[in-house]
């Protein structure tokens, strides 16, 4: 009786948050589902005409740009998250040691995180510039290249270039979380391993990595979600070009919604993107649980 | 002893409600004033905003019953802002925005027809004073004018007079001369490219292509407003695209990275003296004056080129930007009063002074001002570019679809794709036509 009353009281306490979350999160999704089933072409009268699954079939079976964008979004997400994780882990391992000026570097490495995305894009556009870019200038001065590299103008290089920017944007938060996880790894284990003759690589592989695995899964999952739906960096750096080489799903949806005025179609694309994100999240958590089960 | 007068609960409630309404009542309404919201997209730099403030204050002095609240809208947020406002029915009473906005909003029944203002302008001769009939005809759709033009945004070809003089080359006037001059002035050892133009996947890329398209005899629409980009105009449009992109792909006389350039990058290259010819907006005049004044005397503006289609098609892309009124505005008559007052010869001179070259008047009478006569580049733009400026839909009139074709950069993509080598001009035009057709059939 007492337990049930306690549970009821707990539900009562979370009720306000539940209502707010329902209104702010769930309602837009439900509304989005309705909009995606309507014409919602803002250039035509009767936007609320019901069109069934037409927008979904167009995206999945007719619009070749959609699948190409899905592919590019996956490359963009995987490249950014893997790159960000590696950079963050290396820096976290470095700053987990007793180094002089450690706190200064910890603060310094957080800098990209606090810079707004628009400023980040403008900053990197300047760095990447062919005629007046800092990177090309330094490479030319060092004699490493003879002509400026077309970081953003070459379709084969543009995706890599924007991924580097996203890595720069992403690694600080991963670094902070991984550093916190590293600091929870018991020192005695490392000491024991050293006494037993384990190499640094073995210690990392069999002690450090298992300890930070759950944190790694969570932070890479979050980073994947952030990157998958990230829009500003790509849109401002390349506009989705050159020749569509960086047209990821968020830029496609933005163009269809706000330039093409096809709200219904854009919403359908948004919901398909949500499905992709859910699939990624479920896959992550499945792998995580499987590994935990094995452990 | 007399009891102090007590206030009943009902009286207290009524007083409280009265006080609440008094506090929240619109000050302007209380004084019998009409309060209008005015959204601007182009007039948002500190200089232009300050100039606009002065103009609005003058209006309010002359019309004490109307108050205008100016709200700047970021260029990148124009569509999200307007579309949200349409959905929430919180549109501004008046707005100035992109070329085809009034038609697009009219298509969803949100625009107030402006036929009465056009009729007045016809009667008082103001219409005849406008440079180009396409300036207002572009807003005519389904038997109504949905917007009225208030300013012109030009695209021009700038050139380095000193470099041409050094090589004894006269400013080119047609396609052959232009190509020859660009090739002759290309001097990579001196760090000077023959030509710079923005070919990135941004809206500006299609504006310069459009000029060459017109000059080759091509267009997007025909006179009746039918899509002919990849059909009867295909040959001319391919020819124009080939001519423009050949500078980058065949002759290699542009900076190698133009496929990533937006307006600013192309302007900057020219401003730094790294190109003999540069395609830019009128805003480049302002940047030269402010950022590199020493270049001012070395720069000229080319007369619009004559292409394969001859003198009749000696045209350049220029954009007559609209003002429009929300059909559900409670103060739409006051909004029209403001527009009638605002768009008048001489009225917007403070805006033109605040940012030379960026905005152009639409009235012939305005451009002979001392401001223009005393500034050589403004004068050259006025005589060599403005009279030839026409709009996207030429030779047809407005259609809401043109907003989407422009918005989704459907003919910037061909420039970008050909420059990076992923498509031939023929393929790029055919694909762009297919995309445009989808919009027309949607």
């Amino acid at each position: 009786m007492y337990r049930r009353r306690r549970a009821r009281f707990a539900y009562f306490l979370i009720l306000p948050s539940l209502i707010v979350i329902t209104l702010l999160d769930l309602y837009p999704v439900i509304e989005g589902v309705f909009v995606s089933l309507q014409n919602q072409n803002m250039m035509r009268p009767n936007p609320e005409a019901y069109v069934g699954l037409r927008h979904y079939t167009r995206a999945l079976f007719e619009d070749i740009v959609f699948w190409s964008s899905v592919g590019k979004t996956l490359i963009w997400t995987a490249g950014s998250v893997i790159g960000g994780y590696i950079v963050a882990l290396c820096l976290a391992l470095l700053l987990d040691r007793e180094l002089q000026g450690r706190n200064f570097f910890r603060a310094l490495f957080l800098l990209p995180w606090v810079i707004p995305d628009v400023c980040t894009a403008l900053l990197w556009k300047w760095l990447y510039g062919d005629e007046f870019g800092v990177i090309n200038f330094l490479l030319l001065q060092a004699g490493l290249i003879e002509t400026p590299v077309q970081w953003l103008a070459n379709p084969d290089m543009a995706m890599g270039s924007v991924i580097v920017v996203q890595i720069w944007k992403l690694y600080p938060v991963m670094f902070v979380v991984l550093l916190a996880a590293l600091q929870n790894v018991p020192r005695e284990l490392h000491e024991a391993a050293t006494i037993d003759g384990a190499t640094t690589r073995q210690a990392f592989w069999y002690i450090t990595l298992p300890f930070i695995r759950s944190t790694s899964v969570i932070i890479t999952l979050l980073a994947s979600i952030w990157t998958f739906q990230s829009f500003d960096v790509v849109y401002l750096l390349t506009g989705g070009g050159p020749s569509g080489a960086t047209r990821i799903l968020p830029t496609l949806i933005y163009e269809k919604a706000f330039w093409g005025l096809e709200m219904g179609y854009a919403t359908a694309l948004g919901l398909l993107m949500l499905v992709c994100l859910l699939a990624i999240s479920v896959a992550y958590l499945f792998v995580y649980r499987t590994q935990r089960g094995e452990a | 002893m007399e009891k102090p007068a007590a206030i009943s609960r009902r009286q207290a409630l009524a007083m409280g409600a009265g006080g609440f309404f008094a506090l929240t009542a619109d000050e302007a309404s209380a004084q019998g004033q009409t309060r209008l919201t005015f959204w601007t997209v182009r007039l948002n730099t500190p200089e232009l905003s300050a100039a606009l403030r002065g103009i609005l204050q003058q209006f309010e002095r002359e019309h004490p019953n109307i108050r205008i609240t100016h709200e700047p809208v970021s260029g990148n947020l124009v569509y999200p802002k307007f579309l949200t406002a349409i959905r929430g029915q919180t549109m501004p009473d008046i707005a100035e925005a992109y070329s085809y906005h009034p038609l697009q909003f009219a298509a969803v029944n949100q625009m107030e027809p402006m036929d009465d203002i056009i009729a007045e302008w016809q009667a008082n001769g103001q219409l005849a004073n406008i440079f180009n009939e396409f300036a207002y005809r572009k807003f005519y759709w389904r038997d109504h004018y949905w917007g009225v033009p208030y300013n012109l945004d030009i695209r021009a070809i700038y050139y380095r007079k000193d470099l041409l003089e050094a090589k004894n080359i006269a400013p080119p006037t047609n396609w052959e001369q232009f190509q020859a001059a660009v090739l002759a002035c290309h001097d990579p050892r001196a760090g000077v490219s023959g030509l710079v133009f923005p070919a990135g996947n941004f809206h500006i890329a299609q504006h310069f292509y459009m000029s060459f398209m017109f000059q080759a005899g091509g267009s997007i629409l025909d006179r009746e407003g039918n899509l002919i980009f990849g059909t009867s105009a295909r040959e001319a449009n391919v020819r124009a695209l080939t001519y423009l992109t050949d500078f980058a792909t065949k002759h290699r006389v542009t900076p190698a990275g133009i496929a990533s350039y937006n307006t600013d990058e192309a302007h900057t290259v020219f401003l730094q003296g790294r190109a003999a010819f540069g395609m830019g907006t009128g805003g480049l005049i302002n940047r030269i004056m402010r950022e590199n004044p020493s270049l001012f005397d070395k720069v000229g503006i080319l007369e619009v080129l004559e292409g394969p289609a001859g003198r009749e098609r000696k045209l350049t892309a220029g954009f007559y930007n609209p003002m429009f009124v929300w059909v559900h505005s409670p103060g739409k008559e006051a909004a029209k009063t403001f527009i009638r007052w605002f768009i008048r010869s001489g009225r917007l001179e403070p805006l033109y002074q605040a940012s030379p070259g960026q905005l152009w008047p639409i009235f012939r009478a305005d451009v002979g001002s001392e401001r223009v006569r005393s500034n050589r580049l403004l004068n050259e733009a006025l005589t060599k570019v403005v009279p030839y400026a026409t709009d996207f839909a030429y030779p047809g009139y407005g259609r809401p679809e043109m907003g989407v074709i422009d918005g989704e950069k459907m003919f910037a993509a061909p420039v970008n794709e050909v420059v990076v080598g992923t498509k031939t001009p023929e393929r790029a035009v055919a694909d762009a036509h297919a995309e445009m057709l989808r919009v027309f059939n949607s």
Side-chain angles (χ1 to χ4, degrees):
Chain A
M1 184 69 182
Y2 173 71
R3 270 179 124 182
R4 198 185 295 166
R5 210 184 311 152
R6 265 176 69 98
R8 213 181 297 156
F9 184 63
Y11 280 122
F12 176 73
L13 287 179
I14 63 166
L15 193 63
S17 312
L18 202 66
I19 291 169
V20 171
I21 289 169
T22 308
L23 283 177
L24 292 180
D25 287 357
L26 213 57
Y27 173 73
V29 174
I30 294 166
E31 171 78 4
V33 172
F34 282 114
V35 170
S36 74
L37 301 175
Q38 294 171 343
N39 185 26
Q40 291 292 352
N41 183 332
M42 302 300 280
M43 221 169 45
R44 303 285 179 241
N46 192 17
E48 286 171 10
Y50 178 73
V51 296
L53 296 174
R54 202 176 77 195
H55 294 315
Y56 293 95
T57 54
R58 177 180 157 194
L60 295 171
F61 305 113
E62 296 164 27
D63 195 347
I64 49 167
V65 176
F66 171 73
W67 285 111
S68 138
S69 291
V70 170
K72 280 165 191 147
T73 313
L74 290 173
I75 294 170
W76 151 255
T77 306
S80 303
V81 174
I82 293 169
Y85 182 79
I86 292 170
V87 172
L89 185 61
C90 291
L91 291 174
L93 287 169
L94 195 70
L95 292 186
D96 189 37
R97 296 156 186 247
E98 290 298 327
L99 287 175
Q100 210 173 1
R102 189 168 68 160
N103 289 337
F104 169 75
F105 284 111
R106 279 180 184 175
L108 185 72
F109 292 145
L110 286 179
L111 210 57
W113 195 21
V114 298
I115 297 177
D117 283 0
V118 174
C119 301
T120 301
L122 294 176
L123 179 76
W124 278 89
K125 196 161 194 180
W126 176 64
L127 291 170
Y128 278 143
D130 62 331
E131 290 290 307
F132 27 76
V134 175
I135 296 174
N136 273 323
F137 174 77
L138 292 174
L139 292 175
L140 283 165
Q141 290 295 309
L144 295 172
I145 54 171
E146 287 178 0
T147 53
V149 179
Q150 305 309 316
W151 301 107
L152 299 175
N154 182 340
D156 298 329
M157 299 201 70
M159 181 57 91
S161 303
V162 292
I163 284 175
V164 168
V165 180
Q166 183 66 5
I167 289 172
W168 189 78
K169 193 74 203 151
L170 210 55
Y171 86 80
V173 65
M174 299 178 101
F175 158 72
V176 170
V177 173
L178 289 173
L179 187 60
L182 284 174
Q183 287 173 344
N184 283 331
V185 180
R187 303 281 161 191
E188 310 86 65
L189 290 179
H190 278 284
E191 287 164 11
T194 311
I195 292 166
D196 290 343
T199 62
T200 311
R201 197 201 297 176
Q202 285 170 324
F204 172 75
W205 198 254
Y206 296 108
I207 299 171
T208 309
L209 210 53
F211 264 95
I212 63 167
R213 184 177 290 154
S214 57
T215 309
S216 298
V217 169
I218 297 299
I219 193 61
T220 48
L221 174 62
L222 287 174
S224 301
I225 292 169
W226 295 330
T227 306
F228 202 89
Q229 56 191 355
S230 169
F231 163 77
D232 318 40
V233 167
V234 171
Y235 196 76
L236 289 168
L237 276 173
T238 63
S243 194
T246 57
R247 192 192 278 134
I248 54 173
L249 271 176
T251 61
L252 178 70
I253 292 170
Y254 178 82
E255 288 193 351
K256 292 292 174 203
F258 296 123
W259 291 109
L261 304 183
E262 294 185 272
M263 278 295 171
Y265 183 53
T267 310
L269 291 178
L271 287 168
L272 288 172
M273 192 169 125
L274 178 70
V275 171
C276 291
L277 275 171
L278 285 174
I280 291 173
S281 307
V282 169
Y284 257 104
L285 293 175
F286 178 74
V287 171
Y288 175 56
R289 285 196 174 183
T290 312
Q291 284 185 347
R292 240 176 44 162
E294 282 169 4
Chain B
M1 200 171 136
E2 206 174 320
K3 262 173 94 180
I7 299 175
S8 71
R9 198 180 297 172
R10 190 175 294 174
Q11 283 170 322
L13 212 62
M15 282 165 67
F20 177 76
F21 284 119
L23 283 172
T24 55
D26 191 305
E27 190 194 340
S29 309
Q31 295 166 5
Q33 287 177 327
T34 306
R35 188 178 283 280
L36 302 174
T37 308
F38 178 28
W39 283 8
T40 62
V41 176
R42 262 175 220 84
L43 311 177
N44 303 342
T45 62
E47 304 84 27
L48 286 169
S49 281
L52 179 64
R53 204 175 309 126
I55 296 172
L56 297 182
Q57 282 166 356
Q58 189 191 340
F59 173 79
E60 289 181 347
R61 276 197 301 275
E62 293 178 25
H63 300 81
N65 291 333
I66 305 175
R67 284 276 168 274
I68 309 264
T69 305
H70 171 220
E71 288 181 10
V73 177
S74 154
N76 284 329
L77 293 176
V78 173
Y79 273 97
K81 184 107 173 155
F82 273 109
L83 292 182
T84 313
I86 287 175
R87 247 186 120 68
Q89 288 296 285
T90 53
M91 285 279 276
D93 304 284
I94 320 156
E96 70 86 21
Y98 293 150
S99 280
Y100 289 97
H101 274 154
L103 301 191
Q104 290 179 313
F105 301 150
V108 284
N109 306 320
Q110 298 297 316
M111 285 293 97
E112 168 72 8
M114 308 293 264
D115 304 330
D116 46 352
I117 293 184
I118 294 286
E120 279 172 37
W121 286 4
Q122 175 93 54
N124 65 18
Q126 209 164 322
L127 215 55
N129 194 12
I130 294 178
F131 273 110
N132 187 319
E133 62 172 331
F134 289 95
Y136 52 90
R137 295 258 176 143
K138 67 186 269 189
F139 304 122
Y140 188 73
W141 180 65
R142 295 200 172 155
D143 305 326
H144 293 290
Y145 289 96
W146 300 104
V148 284
Y150 89 99
N151 95 297
L152 170 63
D153 186 6
I154 60 166
R155 302 290 175 265
I157 301 179
Y158 297 79
Y159 70 100
R160 287 283 299 277
K161 291 198 302 176
D162 55 331
L163 298 180
L164 263 70
E165 281 163 11
K167 292 188 183 289
N168 217 8
I169 300 172
T173 59
N174 60 40
W175 278 27
E176 290 73 27
Q177 289 176 7
F178 179 65
Q179 191 184 73
V182 169
L183 300 189
C185 291
H186 182 64
D187 188 357
R189 271 178 303 180
V192 176
S193 298
L195 171 68
V196 61
F197 65 93
N201 193 34
F202 303 101
H203 296 101
I204 190 77
Q206 58 202 17
H207 298 171
F208 297 105
Y209 172 35
M210 194 191 306
S211 297
F212 289 102
M213 197 192 297
F214 291 150
Q215 290 159 20
S219 61
I220 300 169
L221 304 179
D222 67 9
R223 235 172 252 283
E224 283 72 45
N226 302 307
L227 180 69
I228 56 163
F229 182 76
T231 54
S232 58
R234 179 184 168 279
E235 198 180 319
N237 293 341
V238 168
R239 188 173 187 179
L241 184 59
T242 308
Y243 177 78
L244 175 64
T245 53
D246 268 359
F247 287 112
T249 55
K250 186 176 166 190
H251 308 303
R252 297 184 178 277
V253 291
T254 61
I258 58 166
S260 65
Y261 283 13
N262 203 339
T263 317
D264 278 346
E265 286 83 20
H267 282 183
T268 303
V269 168
F270 188 80
L271 205 60
Q272 291 181 343
R274 294 177 187 226
F277 291 86
M279 297 183 188
T281 66
L284 182 54
I285 298 176
N286 193 25
R287 278 194 69 183
I288 292 172
M289 288 165 63
R290 288 204 311 195
E291 295 173 35
N292 192 356
S294 65
L295 200 67
F296 188 89
D297 289 332
K298 298 176 187 167
V299 172
I301 293 177
L302 279 191
E303 176 148 338
V304 170
L305 298 173
E306 197 175 309
R311 291 194 71 78
E312 195 193 327
R313 284 302 200 104
K314 187 174 167 176
L315 296 168
T316 180
F319 307 99
Y320 283 94
N321 296 309
M323 286 182 78
F324 46 88
V325 172
W326 185 36
V327 70
H328 302 303
S329 161
K332 61 188 175 191
E333 281 316 311
K336 283 185 170 179
T337 301
F338 172 69
I339 286 179
R340 286 184 181 98
W341 181 91
F342 190 75
I343 308 176
R344 194 170 287 187
S345 177
R347 182 77 75 203
L348 304 183
E349 189 62 19
L351 293 177
Y352 308 135
Q353 282 172 2
S355 189
Q358 193 173 333
L359 302 174
W360 282 88
I362 58 166
F363 297 116
R364 289 192 180 92
D366 277 358
V367 289
S369 66
E370 179 55 29
R371 173 182 60 84
V372 176
R373 278 203 304 272
S374 61
N375 183 317
R376 186 181 50 80
L377 282 182
L378 288 180
N379 208 18
E380 285 187 21
L382 164 69
T383 52
K384 297 174 178 177
V385 179
V386 171
Y388 305 102
T390 192
D391 222 299
F392 275 80
Y394 177 89
Y397 297 139
R399 286 192 63 141
E401 290 87 351
M402 293 304 290
V404 176
I405 287 172
D406 174 36
E408 286 203 49
K409 302 175 281 190
M410 286 182 188
F411 56 114
V415 179
N416 185 250
E417 290 159 352
V418 177
V419 167
V420 298
T422 52
K423 284 184 187 172
T424 62
E426 290 79 7
R427 181 77 257 156
V429 166
D431 288 352
H433 179 83
E435 276 288 289
M436 292 178 195
L437 197 61
R438 182 188 54 73
V439 175
F440 274 75
N441 293 337
S442 67

